[in-house]
C-alpha cells in the first residue's frame, strides 16, 4: 500500500463511520467508483478490522508495560553482578558465580567478621515467590537447615534483603555442574552410575526427612574435585511456593520456578509435587548421564508444543539416542558410542523409562526402589523395570487404542517420524531437501492440532488422525498429485506398521493411481509404490495380488536400473520370499541366489537387506533338507546381525533360534541345546523374565531335552512355560492347549501317566474350543492322548481316538503328510500289538511309503516305520519281506542311533526270532 | 546519576520548536536515560508491574514540569518520551536476543517465563518494524500509535497534544491498528513463503 492509495482509502473510511457489517463493504465499493486497486485495498482493510481489534485491543494497554517489567527485571538481574562489595543481610558480596531461572548466585562472606566463612548467596529474582509469608518462610527454612548430609549443600541462613527479595546463604561448594564434570572427566558408564547412586542416596535422605527437592536438574548438582556429588537448592522451590493450591502451569506466573527440561507432568498440571516428582527428575538426570541429552528436546518448541511433549511424548530411549549420535560421529567415536548404546540398551533403558513414566503411580514408588533396581543391574541380577516393561507396553497400547488423541498423537507422531525418515533414506535419490521439509511440515501440521476451535472437546484416535491426514493430503494437494502421492505413501506406511493392512493397501493404491496420472507406466517411482503395495498384500497373506505387482515392478527396475541395482535386488528378494511362502521353493531359489549376489556386491555382506535375503536363503535350504548349508548361512546371518544390532536384539535372538533348529536337524543335540538356552537367556533380557513369549523358548528347549533324554528338566521347562501363559491369560485360555499338550508328552515319557492324561485331556478340550473339533492340530492332541491312554492299557479308547484323528487328517491335509503317517504308525502298532496284523498291515505300509518319499531312506522315522511294518509282515508269515525291511532298518538305526538304542535292539531281536 | 537542569530542558524545547536537530537528540538522550533508570528503580521499590503511563508522566513532571511548557512543547516532549520508551523496549528486546544467541558462555537454563518474554520481545520488534512502515504511509497515524502505545496516553490526552478531537483520535487509532495488523501479517506471510 502506498501513501497515495491510503490517503484516498482513509477518506472513504471516514464516510463509513456510521455503518456496520455488510453495508460498510457495500458502501465502500460504491465509493471506490470502479478503481480496482482502491477497491481491493478497501476490501482487505475492512476484512482486517475484526482480527486487528482482537489483536490489539484488550492487551494493548498492558502489553508495553508487561514487556517493560519483564525486560527490566532481567536487566536488574544482570546488575546484581555489579553488586560486588555491597551487603545483603550480614553478608558481603564478592562475585557472581551463577545464574538461573530463579535468580543470581553470588559468592559472599560474612561481613560482621564473626566467622571466616564463604557462602553461596542466592538472590531470588523478583516475581519468584515474592508473596511468601514471612512466618512460613522462616518455618520452612528451619526444616531445611536441619538437613545434614554429605551429599546436600547445607542451608546456612536466609532472609529478606533490603529491597524485599528473599535470599539464601548456602554452604559454598567448589565444584563443576554434573554434566560438565562427567564430560570433562570422560567418565565411563560405571563411574557415571556410581555418581548417580550418590545423588539418589542424598535425595533418599531428604525424603526420609520429609523434604522434596522439586527442581532437580544437572545444574543443581555440583561435583567436587574429589568426585563427591552435592545437591544444591534443596527444598527452595517449595519454600518459595506460597500457595500450593495455585495452579502452576508453565504459562502462569509461577513459571520461573520450573525448569521445563526436567519438570514432571504433574508439575506442569499444577498438582502437588511429591517424592515421585523427584523420582521423575532423577530419571531425567540418569537419562543425561547415559546419553548426554535431555529427555525432551524442548528448546525450539512453542509453549503448547512444549507442554504436549512433557505430558504425552515418551522420550527416545537413551540407547537409541546414542546409536543416532554414532551415525553422525567420527569412526573412533562412533564405535565408542555404539558400545555404550549396547551397554545401555535393555535394562538401563527400562530403568530410565520407568522413572520417567508420565503417571506418578507407574514410576518407581520411591527413590529406594530406583536405587534397588540400579543395584540389581550393577550386580547382574534381573531388573524389575524390565519385567514391568512388556506389561506397561501392552497396557499403554490398550490405553492408546481406547483413549485416542491424548496419548496416541504423541506415540504415533514418533512412529511417523521414524518411519518417514527411513522411507526418505531409501529414497534419497529422488527426494530433494525442499520436498522433505514439506512432508515434515505436513506431518507436524497433521498432529499439532493448531486450531483450538477444532481441537476443543474432540477426541481422535490415531486411526482417525491418519484417515483425516490422508483426506487432507488429497484435498490440500489436489494440484500437486506427485507430492500427494508421495505423502499418501508415507501415511500408508504407518497403517502398515500398525498392522492395518487393508487400509494401507487402499492408500498405496490411491498413491499409485495419483502417480499414474502423472508418470509414465515404466516410471521408477511407480515401480517403488507397486513394491510397497505388493509387500502390504504379502504381509496380509494375499499372495495372489502381490505377485503380479512384484513382477511388474521388477520388470521396470531391471530395465531402468539394471539387474544389480539394490532396488531391483530388493524386489527380487521379496518376490522370491513370496514363492517360498507359497511353498514353491524351486522357483524361489534361483531368484534368491541372484538377489543375494547383487546385494552383496552393491551393498556389502553386512547390509540389513543383504542379511535378510541371506536369512531367506537359509530358510529355503532348511526347508529343502539341506541342513549343513542352512547352518552355514544361519551362522553368517547371526554374525552379521550381531554386528548390525548388537548382542541384545530380537533379530539376533531369531538368528540364534534358527541356528539351533538347524543344529538340531543335523543331530547335534549338544550345541542345539546350548543355543536354545542362549535364545531363552537373550529373550529374558529383551522381554523381561516373566514375558509370556518366553514360553515358546522354554517349549523349544523342553522338546530338545526330551530328545536328549533329560526328562526331568524337560518337564520343568514345560511347566514353567505353562505357568507363564497361565499368569498371562488365566487358566482356561484356548492358547494354553499347546503348552498343556507339550507337558502331557513329557509326562507320558516319564511314565507319569495319570498326570499326562489329565494334561492332554485339558489340552484337547481347549484345542477343540479354540480351533473347532475338526482341526488338524486337534488331531495331534488326540494322538498324544491316545498314546497315553494306550500306555495305560485302555486299547479300545486309544483306537477310537486314533481313528478320529486319522479321519480329521485325511480330510484336512494332503495325502503323504508326515502327520498322517505318524497317526497311521501309531494306529498300526496298536493293532499289531492287539494281534490284528491284517488290519495293521495296510496302514503301516502307507505310513512307511509316505515317510520314505518325504524323508528318504536314511531317516530314522522311516526306519521306525520299517521295523513296525517288518514285525507285522512277520506276524502275517511274509518272512522274506519282513527280513528285508528289518535288516535295512537295523543297519540305519545302528549307524544313526547306536546299537544300544531301543529301536535297534527291537529290530535285532525280531531278526533273531525270524531266524529261529 | 546526572542531575537534570530544568533550564536546559526549557532551552532544548525551545530549540526544538525551531526545528533544531541536535536539540532533539540531546532531549531524547536525557529522557531515555531517565526513563530507563527509573524503570529499574521502580521495579526495585514496588516489586509489582511497571506502568509505562506512570513512568512517562513522572518523567515529564521531573524534567519539564518546572518549565511549564506550552502545548506545542508538551507535544514535542511527549513525542520524544514515546520514542524513548519505544527505543528502550526495542533495545531490551535486542539485548535479549543477543544474550539468547549466547554471548555468555555460562549455561543458563531457559525457563518458561523467559520463553514467554522471548515471544513478547520478538513481537515487539515486529511491531516496531511495522510502525516504521506505517509512518511512511501516514505520519499522523504512527504518532497516535506512539503516544497511545508507548507513552500510554489516553485518547483525550492524545487529542489535546495533536490538536484534534478525541473522536478523530479514536478513528485514527482504529485505522492505525487495522493497517498495522495488515503490515504485521504481511510480514509474517512474506517470511513463511
Amino acid at each position: 500500500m502506498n501513501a497515495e492509495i491510503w490517503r484516498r482509502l482513509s477518506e472513504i473510511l471516514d464516510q463509513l463511520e456510521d455503518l456496520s457489517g455488510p453495508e460498510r463493504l457495500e458502501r465502500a465499493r460504491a465509493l471506490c467508483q470502479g478503481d480496482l486497486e482502491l477497491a481491493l485495498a478497501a476490501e482487505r482493510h475492512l476484512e482486517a478490522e475484526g482480527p486487528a481489534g482482537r489483536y490489539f485491543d484488550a492487551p494493548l494497554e498492558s502489553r508495553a508495560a508487561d514487556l517493560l517489567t519483564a525486560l527490566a527485571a532481567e536487566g536488574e538481574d544482570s546488575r546484581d553482578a555489579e553488586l560486588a562489595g555491597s551487603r545483603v543481610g550480614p553478608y558481603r558480596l564478592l562475585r557472581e558465580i551463577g545464574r538461573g531461572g530463579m535468580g543470581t548466585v553470588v559468592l559472599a562472606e560474612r561481613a560482621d567478621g564473626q566467622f571466616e566463612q564463604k557462602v553461596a548467596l542466592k538472590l531470588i529474582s523478583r516475581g519468584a515467590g515474592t508473596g511468601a509469608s514471612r512466618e512460613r518462610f522462616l518455618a520452612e527454612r528451619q526444616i531445611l537447615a536441619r538437613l545434614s548430609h554429605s551429599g546436600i549443600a547445607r542451608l546456612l541462613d536466609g532472609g529478606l534483603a533490603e529491597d524485599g527479595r528473599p535470599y539464601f546463604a548456602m554452604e559454598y561448594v567448589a565444584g563443576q555442574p554434573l554434566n560438565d564434570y562427567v564430560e570433562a572427566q570422560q567418565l565411563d558408564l560405571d563411574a557415571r552410575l556410581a555418581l548417580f547412586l550418590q545423588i539418589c542416596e542424598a535425595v533418599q535422605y531428604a525424603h526420609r526427612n520429609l523434604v522434596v527437592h522439586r527442581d532437580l536438574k544437572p545444574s543443581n548438582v555440583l561435583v567436587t574435585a574429589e568426585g563427591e556429588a552435592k545437591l544444591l537448592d534443596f527444598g527452595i522451590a517449595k519454600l518459595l511456593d506460597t500457595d500450593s493450591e495455585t495452579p502452576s502451569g508453565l504459562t502462569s506466573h509461577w513459571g520461573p520456578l520450573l525448569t521445563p527440561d526436567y519438570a514432571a507432568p504433574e508439575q506442569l498440571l499444577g498438582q502437588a509435587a511429591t517424592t515421585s516428582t523427584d523420582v521423575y527428575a532423577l530419571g531425567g538426570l540418569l537419562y543425561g548421564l547415559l546419553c548426554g541429552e535431555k529427555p525432551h528436546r524442548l528448546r525450539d518448541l512453542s509453549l503448547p508444543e512444549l507442554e504436549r511433549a512433557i505430558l504425552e511424548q515418551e522420550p527416545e530411549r537413551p540407547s537409541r539416542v546414542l546409536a543416532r549420535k554414532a551415525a553422525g560421529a567420527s569412526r573412533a567415536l562412533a564405535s565408542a558410542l555404539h558400545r555404550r548404546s549396547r551397554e545401555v540398551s535393555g535394562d538401563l533403558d527400562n530403568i530410565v523409562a520407568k522413572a520417567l513414566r508420565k503417571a506418578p503411580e507407574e514410576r518407581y514408588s520411591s527413590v529406594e526402589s530406583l536405587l534397588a533396581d540400579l543395584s540389581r543391574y550393577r550386580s547382574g541380577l534381573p531388573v524389575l523395570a524390565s519385567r514391568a516393561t512388556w506389561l506397561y507396553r501392552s497396557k499403554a497400547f490398550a490405553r492408546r487404542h481406547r483413549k485416542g488423541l491424548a496419548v496416541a498423537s504423541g506415540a504415533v507422531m514418533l512412529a511417523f517420524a521414524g518411519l518417514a525418515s527411513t522411507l526418505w533414506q531409501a529414497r534419497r535419490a529422488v527426494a530433494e531437501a525442499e520436498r522433505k521439509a514439506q512432508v515434515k511440515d505436513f506431518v507436524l501440521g497433521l498432529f499439532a492440532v493448531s486450531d483450538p476451535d477444532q481441537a476443543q472437546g474432540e477426541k481422535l484416535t490415531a486411526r482417525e488422525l491418519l484417515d483425516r491426514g490422508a483426506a487432507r493430503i488429497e484435498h490440500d494437494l489436489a494440484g500437486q498429485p506427485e507430492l500427494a502421492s508421495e505423502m499418501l505413501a508415507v501415511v500408508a506406511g504407518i497403517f502398515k506398521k500398525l498392522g492395518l493392512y487393508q487400509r494401507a493397501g487402499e492408500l498405496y493404491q490411491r498413491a499409485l493411481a495419483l502417480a499414474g496420472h502423472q508418470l509414465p507406466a515404466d516410471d521408477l517411482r511407480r515401480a517403488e509404490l507397486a513394491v510397497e503395495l505388493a509387500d502390504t498384500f504379502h504381509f496380509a497373506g494375499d499372495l495372489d495380488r502381490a505377485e503380479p505387482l512384484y513382477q511388474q515392478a521388477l520388470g521396470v527396475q531391471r530395465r531402468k536400473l539394471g539387474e544389480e541395482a539394490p532396488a531391483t535386488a530388493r524386489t527380487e528378494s521379496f518376490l522370491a520370499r513370496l514363492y517360498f511362502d507359497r511353498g514353491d521353493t524351486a522357483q524361489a531359489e534361483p531368484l534368491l541366489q541372484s538377489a543375494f549376489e547383487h546385494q552383496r556386491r552393491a551393498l556389502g555382506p553386512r547390509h540389513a537387506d543383504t542379511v535378510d535375503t541371506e536369512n531367506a536363503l537359509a530358510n529355503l535350504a532348511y526347508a529343502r533338507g539341506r541342513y549343513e548349508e542352512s547352518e552355514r548361512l544361519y551362522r553368517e546371518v547371526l554374525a552379521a546381525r550381531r554386528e548390525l544390532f548388537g548382542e541384545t536384539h530380537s533379530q539376533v535372538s531369531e538368528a540364534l533360534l534358527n541356528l539351533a533348529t538347524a543344529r538340531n536337524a543335523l543331530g547335534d543335540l549338544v550345541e542345539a541345546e546350548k543355543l536354545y538356552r542362549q535364545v531363552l537367556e537373550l529373550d529374558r533380557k529383551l522381554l523381561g523374565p516373566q514375558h509370556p513369549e518366553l514360553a515358546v523358548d522354554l517349549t523349544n528347549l523342553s522338546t530338545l531335552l526330551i530328545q536328549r533324554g533329560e526328562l526331568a528338566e524337560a518337564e520343568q521347562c514345560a511347566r514353567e512355560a505353562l505357568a507363564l501363559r497361565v499368569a498371562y491369560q488365566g487358566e482356561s485360555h484356548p492358547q494354553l492347549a499347546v503348552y498343556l499338550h507339550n507337558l502331557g508328552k513329557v509326562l507320558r515319557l516319564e511314565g507319569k501317566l495319570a498326570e499326562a492324561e489329565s494334561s492332554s485331556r485339558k489340552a484337547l478340550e481347549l484345542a477343540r474350543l479354540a480351533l473347532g473339533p475338526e482341526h488338524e492340530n486337534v488331531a495331534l492332541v488326540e494322538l498324544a492322548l491316545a498314546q497315553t491312554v494306550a500306555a495305560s492299557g485302555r486299547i479300545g479308547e486309544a483306537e477310537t481316538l486314533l481313528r478320529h484323528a486319522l479321519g480329521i487328517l485325511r480330510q484336512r491335509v494332503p495325502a503323504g503328510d508326515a502327520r498322517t503317517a505318524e497317526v497311521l504308525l501309531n494306529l498300526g502298532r496298536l493293532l499289531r500289538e492287539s494281534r490284528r496284523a491284517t488290519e495293521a498291515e495296510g496302514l503301516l505300509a502307507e505310513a512307511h511309503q509316505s515317510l520314505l518319499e518325504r524323508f528318504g531312506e536314511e531317516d530314522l522315522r522311516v526306519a521306525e516305520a520299517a521295523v513296525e511294518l517288518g514285525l507285522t509282515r512277520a506276524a502275517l508269515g511274509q518272512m522274506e519281506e519282513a527280513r528285508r525291511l528289518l535288516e535295512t532298518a537295523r543297519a540305519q538305526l545302528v549307524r544313526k542311533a547306536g546299537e544300544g538304542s531301543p529301536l535297534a535292539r527291537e529290530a535285532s531281536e525280531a531278526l533273531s526270532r525270524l531266524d529261529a | 546519576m546526572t542531575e537534570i537542569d530544568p533550564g536546559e530542558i526549557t532551552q532544548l524545547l525551545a530549540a526544538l520548536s525551531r526545528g533544531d536537530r541536535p536539540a532533539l537528540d540531546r532531549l531524547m538522550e536525557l529522557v531515555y536515560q531517565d526513563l530507563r533508570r527509573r524503570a529499574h528503580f521502580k521495579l526495585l521499590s514496588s516489586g509489582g508491574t511497571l506502568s509505562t503511563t506512570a513512568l512517562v508522566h513522572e518523567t515529564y513532571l521531573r524534567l519539564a514540569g518546572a518549565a511549564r511548557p506550552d502545548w506545542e512543547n508538551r507535544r514535542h516532549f511527549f513525542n520524544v518520551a514515546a520514542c524513548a520508551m519505544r527505543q528502550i523496549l526495542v533495545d531490551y528486546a535486542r539485548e535479549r536476543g543477543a544474550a539468547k544467541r549466547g554471548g555468555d558462555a555460562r549455561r543458563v537454563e531457559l525457563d518458561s517465563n523467559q520463553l514467554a518474554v522471548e515471544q513478547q520481545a520478538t513481537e515487539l520488534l515486529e511491531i516496531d518494524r511495522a510502525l516504521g512502515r506505517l509512518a511512511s504511509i501516514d505520519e499522523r497515524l504512527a504518532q497516535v500509535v506512539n503516544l497511545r502505545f508507548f507513552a500510554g496516553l489516553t485518547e483525550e490526552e492524545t487529542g489535546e497534544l495533536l490538536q484534534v478531537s478525541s473522536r478523530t483520535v479514536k478513528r485514527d487509532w482504529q485505522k492505525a491498528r487495522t493497517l498495522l495488523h495488515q503490515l504485521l501479517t504481511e510480514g509474517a506471510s512474506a517470511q513463511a513463503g
Side-chain angles (χ1 to χ4, degrees), chain A residues 6 10 14 17 44 55 57 60 65 69 74 101 180 250, chain B residues 50 96 107 111-112 123 138 149 167 171 173 175 177 182 186:
Chain A
W6 170 247
S10 183
D14 289 342
E17 232 181 342
R44 270 197 63 201
Y55 180 76
D57 248 9
L60 180 73
T69 307
E74 285 196 351
D180 294 353
L250 262 185
Chain B
L50 294 172
R96 200 198 147 72
R107 248 178 241 203
D111 68 41
S112 57
E123 205 177 7
D138 190 329
F149 194 130
R167 190 183 137 134
R171 208 159 55 191
W173 174 235
K175 285 178 189 169
R177 71 185 189 196
Q182 289 179 62
E186 258 171 32

Tab-separated table of all heavy atoms in Angstrom, chain A residues 6 10 14 17 44 55 57 60 65 69 74 101 180 250, chain B residues 50 96 107 111-112 123 138 149 167 171 173 175 177 182 186:
chain	number	residue	atom	x	y	z
A	6	TRP	N	-3.573	5.102	0.302
A	6	TRP	CA	-4.047	5.184	1.673
A	6	TRP	C	-4.806	6.474	1.938
A	6	TRP	O	-5.837	6.476	2.599
A	6	TRP	CB	-2.887	5.046	2.657
A	6	TRP	CG	-3.317	5.372	4.061
A	6	TRP	CD1	-2.925	6.423	4.803
A	6	TRP	CD2	-4.277	4.660	4.850
A	6	TRP	NE1	-3.558	6.438	6.006
A	6	TRP	CE2	-4.415	5.354	6.061
A	6	TRP	CE3	-5.045	3.509	4.634
A	6	TRP	CZ2	-5.262	4.933	7.073
A	6	TRP	CZ3	-5.903	3.098	5.646
A	6	TRP	CH2	-6.013	3.792	6.838
A	10	SER	N	-8.392	6.322	3.252
A	10	SER	CA	-8.671	6.912	4.550
A	10	SER	C	-9.897	7.807	4.493
A	10	SER	O	-10.749	7.791	5.391
A	10	SER	CB	-7.430	7.693	4.987
A	10	SER	OG	-7.626	8.224	6.263
A	14	ASP	N	-13.597	7.341	6.442
A	14	ASP	CA	-14.267	8.337	7.259
A	14	ASP	C	-15.752	8.418	6.938
A	14	ASP	O	-16.569	8.754	7.795
A	14	ASP	CB	-13.615	9.714	7.067
A	14	ASP	CG	-12.228	9.767	7.702
A	14	ASP	OD1	-11.943	8.893	8.552
A	14	ASP	OD2	-11.421	10.643	7.339
A	17	GLU	N	-18.252	5.651	8.744
A	17	GLU	CA	-18.231	5.552	10.192
A	17	GLU	C	-19.508	5.038	10.831
A	17	GLU	O	-19.457	4.268	11.782
A	17	GLU	CB	-17.910	6.931	10.783
A	17	GLU	CG	-16.784	6.842	11.750
A	17	GLU	CD	-16.504	8.200	12.334
A	17	GLU	OE1	-16.942	9.225	11.740
A	17	GLU	OE2	-15.878	8.256	13.377
A	44	ARG	N	-9.579	-5.440	1.707
A	44	ARG	CA	-8.595	-6.022	2.625
A	44	ARG	C	-8.658	-5.334	3.978
A	44	ARG	O	-8.593	-5.968	5.022
A	44	ARG	CB	-7.172	-5.841	2.054
A	44	ARG	CG	-6.733	-6.979	1.197
A	44	ARG	CD	-5.213	-6.941	1.010
A	44	ARG	NE	-4.520	-7.098	2.273
A	44	ARG	CZ	-3.268	-6.706	2.484
A	44	ARG	NH1	-2.588	-6.104	1.529
A	44	ARG	NH2	-2.696	-6.894	3.651
A	55	TYR	N	-6.605	-8.402	18.103
A	55	TYR	CA	-5.172	-8.494	18.347
A	55	TYR	C	-4.679	-7.375	19.248
A	55	TYR	O	-3.902	-7.593	20.155
A	55	TYR	CB	-4.442	-8.461	17.007
A	55	TYR	CG	-2.936	-8.558	17.126
A	55	TYR	CD1	-2.328	-9.782	17.402
A	55	TYR	CD2	-2.135	-7.439	16.956
A	55	TYR	CE1	-0.963	-9.884	17.499
A	55	TYR	CE2	-0.764	-7.537	17.064
A	55	TYR	CZ	-0.179	-8.752	17.338
A	55	TYR	OH	1.169	-8.850	17.435
A	57	ASP	N	-6.653	-4.791	20.918
A	57	ASP	CA	-7.378	-4.035	21.910
A	57	ASP	C	-7.122	-4.395	23.349
A	57	ASP	O	-6.507	-3.654	24.081
A	57	ASP	CB	-8.879	-4.065	21.616
A	57	ASP	CG	-9.342	-2.682	21.198
A	57	ASP	OD1	-8.451	-1.836	20.997
A	57	ASP	OD2	-10.546	-2.464	21.108
A	60	LEU	N	-3.494	-4.428	24.741
A	60	LEU	CA	-2.565	-3.399	24.286
A	60	LEU	C	-2.076	-2.508	25.417
A	60	LEU	O	-0.880	-2.276	25.556
A	60	LEU	CB	-3.201	-2.531	23.213
A	60	LEU	CG	-2.207	-1.482	22.780
A	60	LEU	CD1	-1.122	-2.108	21.938
A	60	LEU	CD2	-2.855	-0.330	22.083
A	65	ALA	N	3.674	-2.359	29.074
A	65	ALA	CA	4.055	-2.354	30.477
A	65	ALA	C	4.588	-3.711	30.904
A	65	ALA	O	5.606	-3.812	31.598
A	65	ALA	CB	2.853	-1.966	31.328
A	69	THR	N	8.267	-4.557	32.248
A	69	THR	CA	8.507	-5.183	33.546
A	69	THR	C	9.452	-6.370	33.399
A	69	THR	O	10.446	-6.489	34.111
A	69	THR	CB	7.178	-5.670	34.143
A	69	THR	OG1	6.270	-4.589	34.145
A	69	THR	CG2	7.385	-6.182	35.543
A	74	GLU	N	15.027	-8.499	33.977
A	74	GLU	CA	16.228	-9.198	33.530
A	74	GLU	C	17.435	-8.295	33.624
A	74	GLU	O	18.504	-8.702	34.024
A	74	GLU	CB	16.069	-9.673	32.099
A	74	GLU	CG	15.160	-10.863	32.002
A	74	GLU	CD	15.315	-11.552	30.682
A	74	GLU	OE1	16.001	-10.989	29.803
A	74	GLU	OE2	14.773	-12.634	30.525
A	101	GLY	N	17.070	-19.604	36.402
A	101	GLY	CA	15.721	-19.091	36.300
A	101	GLY	C	15.296	-18.382	37.560
A	101	GLY	O	14.516	-17.428	37.527
A	180	ASP	N	28.876	-31.079	33.106
A	180	ASP	CA	30.222	-30.620	32.747
A	180	ASP	C	31.269	-31.572	33.303
A	180	ASP	O	32.247	-31.910	32.648
A	180	ASP	CB	30.481	-29.217	33.315
A	180	ASP	CG	29.574	-28.185	32.672
A	180	ASP	OD1	28.867	-28.553	31.708
A	180	ASP	OD2	29.565	-27.030	33.127
A	250	LEU	N	2.903	-24.007	33.110
A	250	LEU	CA	4.047	-23.309	32.553
A	250	LEU	C	3.782	-21.845	32.298
A	250	LEU	O	4.645	-21.004	32.433
A	250	LEU	CB	4.371	-23.946	31.203
A	250	LEU	CG	5.467	-24.965	31.207
A	250	LEU	CD1	5.722	-25.388	29.794
A	250	LEU	CD2	6.705	-24.379	31.825
B	50	LEU	N	5.269	-2.600	36.201
B	50	LEU	CA	5.521	-1.206	35.874
B	50	LEU	C	4.407	-0.687	34.982
B	50	LEU	O	3.837	-1.426	34.193
B	50	LEU	CB	6.835	-1.105	35.112
B	50	LEU	CG	8.084	-1.469	35.908
B	50	LEU	CD1	9.270	-1.508	34.981
B	50	LEU	CD2	8.296	-0.462	37.016
B	96	ARG	N	18.242	-8.777	24.577
B	96	ARG	CA	17.780	-10.089	24.946
B	96	ARG	C	18.082	-11.103	23.862
B	96	ARG	O	18.549	-12.213	24.124
B	96	ARG	CB	16.287	-10.036	25.165
B	96	ARG	CG	15.848	-11.165	25.978
B	96	ARG	CD	14.428	-11.426	25.907
B	96	ARG	NE	14.385	-12.857	26.034
B	96	ARG	CZ	14.640	-13.479	27.162
B	96	ARG	NH1	14.861	-12.807	28.253
B	96	ARG	NH2	14.649	-14.791	27.209
B	107	ARG	N	26.077	-21.665	31.150
B	107	ARG	CA	24.843	-22.329	30.810
B	107	ARG	C	23.699	-21.728	31.589
B	107	ARG	O	23.710	-21.727	32.811
B	107	ARG	CB	24.943	-23.792	31.188
B	107	ARG	CG	24.969	-24.702	29.999
B	107	ARG	CD	25.122	-26.094	30.482
B	107	ARG	NE	26.367	-26.596	29.927
B	107	ARG	CZ	26.626	-27.863	29.773
B	107	ARG	NH1	25.753	-28.757	30.154
B	107	ARG	NH2	27.747	-28.253	29.251
B	111	ASP	N	13.929	-20.984	31.188
B	111	ASP	CA	12.669	-21.372	31.805
B	111	ASP	C	11.485	-20.796	31.050
B	111	ASP	O	11.626	-20.040	30.098
B	111	ASP	CB	12.644	-21.021	33.300
B	111	ASP	CG	12.612	-19.524	33.524
B	111	ASP	OD1	11.880	-18.850	32.781
B	111	ASP	OD2	13.300	-19.039	34.420
B	112	SER	N	10.303	-21.183	31.488
B	112	SER	CA	9.109	-20.858	30.718
B	112	SER	C	8.821	-19.365	30.702
B	112	SER	O	8.356	-18.821	29.720
B	112	SER	CB	7.934	-21.605	31.304
B	112	SER	OG	7.839	-21.251	32.656
B	123	GLU	N	7.761	-10.198	19.249
B	123	GLU	CA	6.576	-9.497	18.783
B	123	GLU	C	6.823	-7.985	18.775
B	123	GLU	O	6.453	-7.278	17.839
B	123	GLU	CB	5.436	-9.842	19.739
B	123	GLU	CG	4.081	-9.711	19.121
B	123	GLU	CD	3.024	-10.150	20.119
B	123	GLU	OE1	3.351	-10.412	21.299
B	123	GLU	OE2	1.862	-10.210	19.721
B	138	ASP	N	1.428	6.984	6.652
B	138	ASP	CA	0.634	8.041	7.278
B	138	ASP	C	1.287	8.451	8.593
B	138	ASP	O	1.160	7.758	9.612
B	138	ASP	CB	-0.803	7.523	7.513
B	138	ASP	CG	-1.740	8.654	7.926
B	138	ASP	OD1	-1.270	9.620	8.586
B	138	ASP	OD2	-2.933	8.562	7.597
B	149	PHE	N	0.420	3.854	22.536
B	149	PHE	CA	1.034	2.578	22.876
B	149	PHE	C	2.221	2.763	23.827
B	149	PHE	O	2.298	2.171	24.890
B	149	PHE	CB	1.503	1.896	21.591
B	149	PHE	CG	1.860	0.437	21.720
B	149	PHE	CD1	1.325	-0.499	20.841
B	149	PHE	CD2	2.743	-0.005	22.684
B	149	PHE	CE1	1.656	-1.834	20.945
B	149	PHE	CE2	3.076	-1.349	22.797
B	149	PHE	CZ	2.526	-2.262	21.921
B	167	ARG	N	-12.530	12.166	19.159
B	167	ARG	CA	-13.217	11.303	18.208
B	167	ARG	C	-12.312	10.992	17.036
B	167	ARG	O	-12.261	9.857	16.544
B	167	ARG	CB	-14.476	12.031	17.732
B	167	ARG	CG	-15.391	11.160	16.943
B	167	ARG	CD	-16.557	11.991	16.465
B	167	ARG	NE	-16.819	11.644	15.087
B	167	ARG	CZ	-18.050	11.401	14.633
B	167	ARG	NH1	-19.083	11.542	15.427
B	167	ARG	NH2	-18.227	11.068	13.387
B	171	ARG	N	-10.866	7.424	15.762
B	171	ARG	CA	-10.943	6.964	14.378
B	171	ARG	C	-9.541	6.610	13.858
B	171	ARG	O	-9.338	5.570	13.248
B	171	ARG	CB	-11.562	8.080	13.526
B	171	ARG	CG	-12.289	7.600	12.331
B	171	ARG	CD	-13.277	8.651	11.841
B	171	ARG	NE	-12.631	9.956	11.579
B	171	ARG	CZ	-13.308	11.083	11.356
B	171	ARG	NH1	-14.630	11.081	11.396
B	171	ARG	NH2	-12.674	12.203	11.109
B	173	TRP	N	-6.986	5.793	15.559
B	173	TRP	CA	-6.491	4.616	16.284
B	173	TRP	C	-6.994	3.330	15.628
B	173	TRP	O	-6.277	2.369	15.438
B	173	TRP	CB	-6.919	4.726	17.747
B	173	TRP	CG	-6.604	3.529	18.592
B	173	TRP	CD1	-7.479	2.801	19.338
B	173	TRP	CD2	-5.327	2.922	18.794
B	173	TRP	NE1	-6.840	1.791	19.979
B	173	TRP	CE2	-5.507	1.836	19.662
B	173	TRP	CE3	-4.046	3.207	18.301
B	173	TRP	CZ2	-4.464	1.017	20.060
B	173	TRP	CZ3	-3.007	2.389	18.706
B	173	TRP	CH2	-3.218	1.309	19.582
B	175	LYS	N	-8.034	3.004	12.484
B	175	LYS	CA	-7.373	2.855	11.182
B	175	LYS	C	-5.961	2.322	11.377
B	175	LYS	O	-5.504	1.413	10.670
B	175	LYS	CB	-7.277	4.206	10.471
B	175	LYS	CG	-8.565	4.719	9.882
B	175	LYS	CD	-8.296	6.077	9.253
B	175	LYS	CE	-9.582	6.763	8.819
B	175	LYS	NZ	-9.341	8.169	8.461
B	177	ARG	N	-4.517	0.643	13.804
B	177	ARG	CA	-4.301	-0.738	14.240
B	177	ARG	C	-4.675	-1.719	13.122
B	177	ARG	O	-4.066	-2.780	12.997
B	177	ARG	CB	-5.066	-1.032	15.522
B	177	ARG	CG	-6.537	-1.107	15.351
B	177	ARG	CD	-7.247	-1.287	16.666
B	177	ARG	NE	-8.640	-1.567	16.385
B	177	ARG	CZ	-9.617	-1.488	17.259
B	177	ARG	NH1	-9.343	-1.147	18.495
B	177	ARG	NH2	-10.855	-1.756	16.930
B	182	GLN	N	-2.414	-5.478	9.229
B	182	GLN	CA	-2.131	-5.938	7.857
B	182	GLN	C	-0.631	-6.006	7.615
B	182	GLN	O	-0.124	-6.959	7.036
B	182	GLN	CB	-2.766	-4.997	6.838
B	182	GLN	CG	-4.285	-5.105	6.782
B	182	GLN	CD	-4.863	-4.138	5.762
B	182	GLN	OE1	-4.562	-4.244	4.584
B	182	GLN	NE2	-5.659	-3.198	6.214
B	186	GLU	N	1.268	-9.379	6.774
B	186	GLU	CA	2.019	-9.411	5.507
B	186	GLU	C	3.442	-9.856	5.759
B	186	GLU	O	3.973	-10.712	5.083
B	186	GLU	CB	2.095	-7.997	4.907
B	186	GLU	CG	1.151	-7.740	3.773
B	186	GLU	CD	1.150	-6.268	3.412
B	186	GLU	OE1	2.205	-5.622	3.558
B	186	GLU	OE2	0.088	-5.777	3.004
